[in-house]
Amino acid sequence: MENPYLPSPVRIEEIITETTDGALKTFKLVFLKPEDEKRFRYLPGQFAEISVAGKGEVPIGIATSPTEEGFLKFTINKVGLVTTHLHNMHPGEIIGVRGPLGKSYPWDWFEGKNLVIIGGGFAFTTLRSSIVYVLHPDNRDRFGDLTVIYGARHPGLLLYKEELAAWEQRSDINMHITVDATDDPDWKYNVGFVPTITKEKAPSSENAYAIVCGPPIMIKFTLPILTELGFPPERVIMSLEMRMKCGIGMCGRCNIGTEYVCKDGPVFTLAQLNQMPNEY
Amino acid sequence: MKEYIPKIREIARKLLEEEKVDAVLGFRKGTIPMMNEPFMARSASDVDLLYWDSNCGINLANYLHKRKEKIAVVAKGCDTRNIVNHIVENQVKRDQLYIIGIPCRGMIDRRQILAMFEGREIEEVDEDAENVIIKGDGLSETIPRVEVLQENCSICIHHNPVIYDEMVDEPVEEPDHVDRYDDIKAIEEMDPEERYQYFRDIFSPCIRCYACRNSCPLCYCPTCFVDESRPQWVGKSIDITDVMTFHFLRAFHCAGRCTDCGSCERACPVGIPMRLLTKKLEKDIRELYGYEAGMSLDERPPLDTYRPDDPEFFIK
Amino acid sequence: MSEVIIPKDELASFVGRLLESYEVFAPVARGGMYLFERISAADEADLSYKNTRLSPKGAFLPQSERMFEFTVAPGKEESGILKEAPKEFRERVLLGLRPCDAQAFKLVDVNFITKEYTDPWWARRREKAILVGLGCNEPRSTCFCTSTGGGPFSEKGLDVLLYDLGESFLARAVTEKGEQIVSFCSGKAPGESLKSKARELEAAARAKIRKSLPVDKLKEKDLLELFNGKFWEKIEFACINCGTCTFVCPTCWCFDIQDEVYKNDGDRLRNWDSCMFPIFTLHGSGHNPRAQKVQRVRQRFMHKLKYYVDKYGNGVACVGCGRCVVSCPVNIDIRRVMEVMTAEVCEREE
């Protein structure tokens, strides 16, 4: 009997400090056993439990795309016991990965549709996965226009800066990078909150889905703008965070009404959320 | 003590009607024998639900901290001592409270009665001044109430409220000589290994539901040490070392503050006598500092203050 | 299915024979209460009990259980790699559990055995278990199993059902597994008079359960309307947010996962957890979706009486054992909550 609680051992290949405040690091992980890697089939939007023996586990969105083979990446915010320990670890050390868990973004719904990806802060990880996935030559033709609005409080807090710059140069993606504020005279991109920039850039809702991930305050002010732009709640996709332990719908803590965020989510449409108790 | 009910209701109605308080905190009659439910009457129409008998052992001071409204509280002797604690520890303000004092004749030990009639269904438990009357399927027994009081009540020396705005009746007589520490002295006589084993056995049924802590008016920390994760002071399994760490530390946190109200033991679903710990500390505090918790608004708990002549021989 | 009579004076030898082939769990008197525990001698089992203080769920979901073990010794190749903690899964008999508790296991199965995942420990123990129930001649005043789809002699989830006929037990096999157990009894088949006595006991026990609650109405209720009901504030007032109701409950399955390390050796454990505790849902960021007591109390009752009902179409996640009613330190009574939740809107406002 396969044990869904047993993490697969992985080696930390590389640790990249993403932000100037040092609170976000990306961990590049390589499976020790090829069979574990083979079994780890995922799609953007899913997450995994990162396990540190002696400390515990944390649920983290998968930042790599399945089109990137041979490794997984997780961008981890230093918050609690496990993540603080992870931040003090070094390449070569062994940790565990358990997953993939949860539902991905609904990629079958997205076929032939335009995508508007809106992200804020460190919630950009599974959005990065999605962008890389869509831009891959095998996939690019399956989807229509790709628009990305991504904001952070200041330039130092933007994740994946080199990739952002590369995406800015491409013609098959409309990138709108923004920061809340900056005193950098060389800043070439937008300044303003994500909702404001969304309103300004006004991506069309025609034949489109929006994926929104970010802090509650950003979501609160972005959703009405998406409504103004004509996105029906069935076509606004969100990903939720909850305290989790098992990640497989058994331990009981991450429910919102009847739905377990770990297993029935973390991806929900706004239409679904509107039918659920407001308890998240 | 059911005779207090009309008076409790009368006072409550008056206070609510005259808008002297926003709510009256008391009990309402429980759905099963020997249980009542803490209850907040918020309007005159709720008043007739207020109830009182010898099954009001849960300490209502536990419902007062950090409240903003003006509250009348129905309080027996130990409850008022915990209200004093709360005031001294700035958990509630005196002028927020209207204390309806209950001269208490002691609470019935529900567990003892359930154990006495184990296997027979008790359907109703009534009481008068002297007796407890137990009725059920083919059951009708009258037992003198002194025989079935909670242990803490049977050795209680402060039956009457130490602070109140209005009493529901004349004070009851309080015993002038009670040896509160019989059982503690016996434990003190044990050698360390025997004592360790004794407590190990006592705490082994614990399921860590924290009913003792959560029913305790002293345990109002926003985050209890057992719930801290950084650092995590204590493991969360039912390993006996962790279980005992929880109970011992909790008892120490209550040293010099515990009024022996017995809420913890009453709340415990598996019958652990954790008062053995708090009572030992109560005895030590009394011997070391001559202090009794919750008796005066003008005195802070001794472990909360420093005096140059504090005893210190036990600090090693 | 076969029926046999076990004279009471032969019970011990029957249990003794079971002990030779199985791990046996049974009600035992311990410290002024009954608990459902593994026994090592036949005379430990005491079938004269009413019910156990804690449910028998610990036989399948122990309060604390080692899931994995590991070393964190620096430089060792296996350092940091989790391995399954070795465990034996022997065939086991749960002897004399109450029908409500057997029904509870079935309700909990849907959580631990799903089409996507199987909890290996729950599943293996369940698979290896034979449930020998003991019908309730004397339901307690807090029992309401007949409202929750069961009954004092319900066979739901059982392999064998025992009737206490006074001088003897009538054992009826309910499943093939149960036949196996019944074959351990040397007794003879019951005559018509004992059979009719069993039927009378059953009818008499049913009649003793006076409380009838309209739980069927719950599936018709609107989830959000119940969730947003004003009545929760009254229900929650007395609650002290301890975990008693959840820990004594046979259908509460929530658990926590914790790592513990001593020197270089560590275990990953799972422990019972409770939706009553604030840290149950506390995010690392400090945000807590159920920070308020009222939210946690609502969660427990909504989970049992509405979320479960809607999610699995399997009735309520309550079997009417009454343990929470008996053990709640402040007399929060799920029967009252059911009445409030199933009442018409105007009444629910109280």
Side-chain angles (χ1 to χ4, degrees):
Chain A
M1 195 182 291
E2 200 176 312
N3 190 326
Y5 299 101
L6 182 66
S8 304
V10 290
R11 194 181 61 248
I12 302 175
E13 185 86 350
E14 192 186 353
I15 302 174
I16 305 143
T17 302
E18 294 283 354
T19 52
T20 48
D21 66 356
L24 284 146
K25 289 183 178 178
T26 295
F27 293 75
K28 184 178 176 186
L29 308 175
V30 177
F31 285 99
L32 295 191
K33 296 185 209 150
E35 65 267 28
D36 287 346
E37 181 179 356
K38 215 165 162 187
R39 205 166 40 213
F40 198 97
R41 317 290 313 159
Y42 68 100
L43 282 171
Q46 289 189 280
F47 70 98
E49 289 279 353
I50 306 293
S51 160
V52 182
K55 299 294 167 187
E57 296 185 314
V58 275
I60 307 282
I62 305 169
T64 32
S65 154
T67 53
E68 301 171 283
E69 282 174 33
F71 60 92
L72 295 173
K73 279 184 179 176
F74 295 89
T75 301
I76 299 176
N77 192 19
K78 183 174 161 181
V79 186
L81 178 78
V82 180
T83 54
T84 303
H85 187 82
L86 276 164
H87 269 239
N88 293 330
M89 292 184 88
H90 302 286
E93 290 189 81
I94 305 298
I95 57 173
V97 166
R98 190 156 67 81
L101 300 169
K103 293 204 165 41
S104 71
Y105 296 120
W107 292 100
D108 48 342
W109 299 0
F110 295 165
E111 298 262 348
K113 300 287 194 294
N114 300 322
L115 287 175
V116 179
I117 289 178
I118 302 173
F122 56 82
F124 194 61
T125 58
T126 59
L127 300 181
R128 183 227 172 244
S129 170
S130 303
I131 295 165
V132 173
Y133 182 73
V134 172
L135 292 179
H136 192 271
D138 289 354
N139 296 327
R140 190 63 194 89
D141 293 345
R142 292 166 54 204
F143 309 103
D145 291 346
L146 174 62
T147 304
V148 175
I149 297 164
Y150 171 41
R153 271 184 290 138
H154 61 78
L157 295 184
L158 287 165
L159 301 175
Y160 319 126
K161 290 185 195 64
E162 284 174 23
E163 282 177 310
L164 295 178
W167 293 336
E168 275 284 349
Q169 304 301 316
R170 292 174 69 132
S171 57
D172 55 356
I173 170 172
N174 307 311
M175 275 304 285
H176 303 293
I177 300 168
T178 183
V179 292
D180 295 354
T182 180
D183 47 15
D184 177 1
D186 298 328
W187 178 249
K188 320 184 263 216
Y189 309 113
N190 302 286
V191 175
F193 296 120
V194 168
T196 318
I197 301 300
T198 307
K199 189 168 182 150
E200 200 179 298
K201 304 296 175 188
S204 166
S205 59
E206 188 70 34
N207 195 37
Y209 274 90
I211 310 178
V212 190
C213 285
I217 188 82
M218 181 204 101
I219 289 177
K220 186 179 165 191
F221 288 102
T222 304
L223 291 180
I225 290 164
L226 289 175
T227 307
E228 271 173 46
L229 292 170
F231 283 91
E234 294 75 21
R235 284 198 270 123
V236 176
I237 313 291
M238 295 166 66
S239 181
L240 301 187
E241 289 193 347
M242 274 285 167
R243 182 185 176 101
M244 292 175 190
K245 287 283 180 173
C246 71
I248 55 174
M250 291 182 184
C251 79
R253 75 201 58 235
C254 71
N255 76 298
I256 303 170
T258 59
E259 306 300 296
Y260 289 116
V261 172
C262 69
K263 188 175 139 187
D264 304 316
V267 174
F268 295 97
T269 65
L270 180 57
Q272 287 174 308
L273 287 175
N274 286 342
Q275 296 302 310
M276 286 155 64
N278 183 14
E279 196 174 63
Y280 46 90
Chain B
M1 289 188 280
K2 283 158 75 178
E3 67 274 17
Y4 298 158
I5 296 171
K7 187 71 181 171
I8 291 170
R9 290 179 183 170
E10 180 196 319
I11 298 170
R13 180 169 285 111
K14 192 158 181 285
L15 290 168
L16 285 165
E17 277 173 358
E18 291 174 5
E19 294 181 5
K20 290 213 167 106
V21 298
D22 302 312
V24 180
L25 174 59
F27 283 88
R28 73 167 159 181
K29 189 164 173 34
T31 59
I32 57 174
M34 297 179 285
M35 284 296 282
N36 293 318
E37 182 183 354
F39 173 68
M40 191 80 112
R42 294 197 175 271
S43 67
S45 62
D46 289 340
V47 159
D48 286 336
L49 291 172
L50 287 168
Y51 188 77
W52 191 270
D53 64 14
S54 303
N55 303 295
C56 298
I58 290 295
N59 191 323
L60 292 182
N62 194 31
Y63 293 84
L64 290 176
H65 41 84
K66 300 294 178 210
R67 285 210 170 261
K68 299 278 174 272
E69 65 266 65
K70 180 138 193 192
I71 297 175
V73 51
V74 183
K76 53 194 186 291
C78 50
D79 297 350
T80 62
R81 291 173 63 199
N82 280 97
I83 290 171
V84 168
N85 273 337
H86 264 17
I87 296 167
V88 171
E89 295 177 7
N90 298 317
Q91 295 306 305
V92 70
K93 291 194 180 72
R94 177 66 184 96
D95 58 15
Q96 248 183 289
L97 300 176
Y98 189 93
I99 300 167
I100 305 170
I102 298 278
C104 180
R105 288 197 292 270
M107 292 293 140
I108 293 172
D109 188 343
R110 172 174 176 248
R111 302 233 176 276
Q112 186 191 337
I113 290 181
L114 289 176
M116 284 166 79
F117 298 96
E118 174 68 47
R120 298 169 78 183
E121 202 58 26
I122 296 172
E123 280 169 13
E124 194 194 329
V125 174
D126 205 352
E127 60 182 85
D128 59 30
E130 299 301 322
N131 296 303
V132 175
I133 303 108
I134 292 142
K135 290 180 191 150
D137 211 3
L139 197 64
S140 181
E141 297 259 354
T142 301
I143 309 173
R145 58 180 293 134
V146 290
E147 289 176 20
V148 288
L149 286 182
Q150 288 184 187
E151 203 260 350
N152 65 307
C153 299
S154 67
I155 57 168
C156 174
I157 50 178
H158 300 292
H159 295 240
N160 295 304
V162 298
I163 177 178
Y164 59 86
D165 293 284
E166 187 171 355
M167 292 286 287
V168 300
D169 207 341
E170 293 300 312
V172 292
E173 200 183 320
E174 290 176 344
D176 37 310
H177 186 76
V178 175
D179 186 356
R180 288 184 51 75
Y181 306 115
D182 256 359
D183 45 358
I184 302 301
K185 286 173 196 157
I187 296 169
E188 286 170 341
E189 293 302 312
M190 294 178 186
D191 65 56
E193 233 160 81
E194 186 188 2
R195 190 156 59 226
Y196 183 78
Q197 192 55 46
Y198 178 77
F199 280 118
R200 225 184 128 95
D201 292 345
I202 279 177
F203 289 109
S204 64
C206 177
I207 53 171
R208 299 193 68 175
C209 67
Y210 303 131
C212 50
R213 174 192 73 185
N214 290 18
S215 66
C216 177
L218 303 174
C219 281
Y220 55 71
C221 291
T223 304
C224 176
F225 73 97
V226 288
D227 295 332
E228 296 272 5
S229 63
R230 299 172 69 196
Q232 187 171 325
W233 304 100
V234 54
K236 305 206 172 195
S237 74
I238 46 166
D239 182 283
I240 192 69
T241 311
D242 291 322
V243 169
M244 287 165 74
T245 303
F246 160 62
H247 285 283
F248 290 173
L249 273 176
R250 194 185 87 82
F252 275 114
H253 287 179
C254 300
R257 305 165 63 223
C258 176
T259 62
D260 201 35
C261 73
S263 257
C264 49
E265 286 189 359
R266 190 182 172 87
C268 179
V270 292
I272 294 172
M274 64 283 283
R275 285 176 44 251
L276 290 172
L277 299 177
T278 46
K279 229 158 56 140
K280 160 67 177 158
L281 290 160
E282 174 196 307
K283 174 172 176 282
D284 285 357
I285 293 287
R286 189 187 285 252
E287 287 168 1
L288 291 167
Y289 303 96
Y291 178 84
E292 238 187 324
M295 296 303 291
S296 159
L297 287 173
D298 304 321
E299 222 179 334
R300 293 197 68 85
L303 299 186
D304 195 21
T305 49
Y306 170 75
R307 281 191 308 232
D309 60 344
D310 276 343
E312 57 182 20
F313 67 90
F314 51 85
I315 302 170
K316 285 171 186 150
Chain C
M1 291 283 172
S2 30
E3 292 184 340
V4 295
I5 293 295
I6 310 172
K8 283 202 175 162
D9 54 12
E10 286 173 28
L11 181 70
S13 68
F14 167 63
V15 178
R17 283 196 297 281
L18 291 178
L19 276 166
E20 287 166 20
S21 309
Y22 303 100
E23 288 179 358
V24 179
F25 290 71
V28 296
R30 195 151 293 172
M33 60 184 165
Y34 281 94
L35 293 170
F36 215 88
E37 294 197 341
R38 185 166 168 200
I39 58 167
S40 51
D43 59 0
E44 285 178 73
D46 182 351
L47 298 189
S48 71
Y49 82 127
K50 285 243 167 180
N51 211 350
T52 49
R53 189 76 58 87
L54 306 181
S55 88
K57 71 180 169 188
F60 299 131
L61 182 69
Q63 176 156 15
S64 293
E65 162 158 41
R66 286 171 75 216
M67 308 169 80
F68 304 109
E69 53 185 28
F70 51 84
T71 172
V72 290
K76 276 206 176 165
E77 201 186 329
E78 70 272 25
S79 189
I81 300 179
L82 274 65
K83 288 188 289 285
E84 281 213 43
K87 273 177 202 152
E88 260 191 78
F89 294 96
R90 283 185 55 203
E91 295 224 298
R92 53 177 62 180
V93 171
L94 269 62
L95 176 69
L97 81 163
R98 293 299 180 185
C100 54
D101 289 330
Q103 190 193 345
F105 292 141
K106 285 181 76 77
L107 295 176
V108 178
D109 281 342
V110 301
N111 184 65
F112 285 122
I113 303 168
T114 68
K115 66 177 193 297
E116 298 91 346
Y117 303 105
T118 300
D119 184 286
W121 303 293
W122 175 273
R124 278 184 205 143
R125 291 190 182 112
R126 282 286 277 148
E127 200 183 284
K128 296 269 189 187
I130 304 172
L131 306 191
V132 181
L134 173 62
C136 304
N137 292 358
E138 302 281 341
R140 304 178 70 168
S141 59
T142 44
C143 290
F144 56 104
C145 55
T146 48
S147 295
T148 53
F153 287 83
S154 164
E155 294 176 351
K156 272 188 193 170
L158 286 173
D159 297 299
V160 179
L161 176 62
L162 299 176
Y163 289 76
D164 184 343
L165 303 177
E167 304 290 304
S168 60
F169 291 104
L170 183 156
R172 177 192 300 145
V174 180
T175 64
E176 285 304 324
K177 270 182 176 179
E179 291 287 352
Q180 218 176 298
I181 295 300
V182 169
S183 71
F184 275 82
C185 312
S186 50
K188 50 184 190 299
E192 197 43 50
S193 71
L194 289 179
K195 281 188 180 183
S196 80
K197 188 170 177 190
R199 281 193 298 271
E200 282 161 26
L201 280 174
E202 192 167 340
R206 255 183 185 275
K208 279 182 189 152
I209 298 176
R210 277 160 293 181
K211 197 87 185 169
S212 172
L213 296 155
V215 294
D216 279 350
K217 281 192 188 170
L218 285 161
K219 59 176 182 286
E220 317 299 337
K221 294 277 170 186
D222 181 70
L223 187 148
L224 288 179
E225 197 190 301
L226 283 176
F227 182 88
N228 293 317
K230 289 258 185 290
F231 56 87
W232 294 114
E233 282 163 31
K234 292 213 168 177
I235 288 171
E236 67 99 29
F237 175 78
C239 178
I240 56 173
N241 253 205
C242 69
T244 300
C245 51
T246 56
F247 288 178
V248 300
C249 177
T251 68
C252 273
W253 62 65
C254 291
F255 60 86
D256 186 18
I257 298 175
Q258 287 275 325
D259 284 13
E260 290 190 1
V261 178
Y262 180 68
K263 293 183 178 165
N264 280 329
D265 297 320
D267 292 323
R268 181 158 291 168
L269 305 166
R270 76 158 156 204
N271 302 311
W272 289 354
D273 206 345
S274 173
C275 57
M276 291 290 111
F277 298 156
I279 54 167
F280 188 61
T281 48
L282 178 66
H283 293 203
S285 65
H287 171 66
N288 192 345
R290 292 198 280 266
Q292 304 300 319
K293 183 175 75 169
V294 62
Q295 296 170 315
R296 299 191 286 274
V297 172
R298 175 173 60 191
Q299 161 65 20
R300 177 171 146 82
F301 290 118
M302 283 294 278
H303 186 212
K304 294 227 165 303
L305 306 176
K306 186 58 182 169
Y307 302 156
Y308 185 95
V309 173
D310 286 7
K311 195 174 180 79
Y312 303 105
N314 199 11
V316 289
C318 171
V319 294
C321 73
R323 285 190 181 87
C324 58
V325 180
V326 173
S327 286
C328 174
V330 292
N331 192 224
I332 292 177
D333 189 327
I334 192 169
R335 298 170 300 178
R336 247 192 90 235
V337 179
M338 283 177 168
E339 279 168 350
V340 174
M341 284 176 75
T342 51
E344 297 307 318
V345 177
C346 50
E347 295 168 64
R348 277 196 280 116
E349 303 293 333
E350 286 197 57

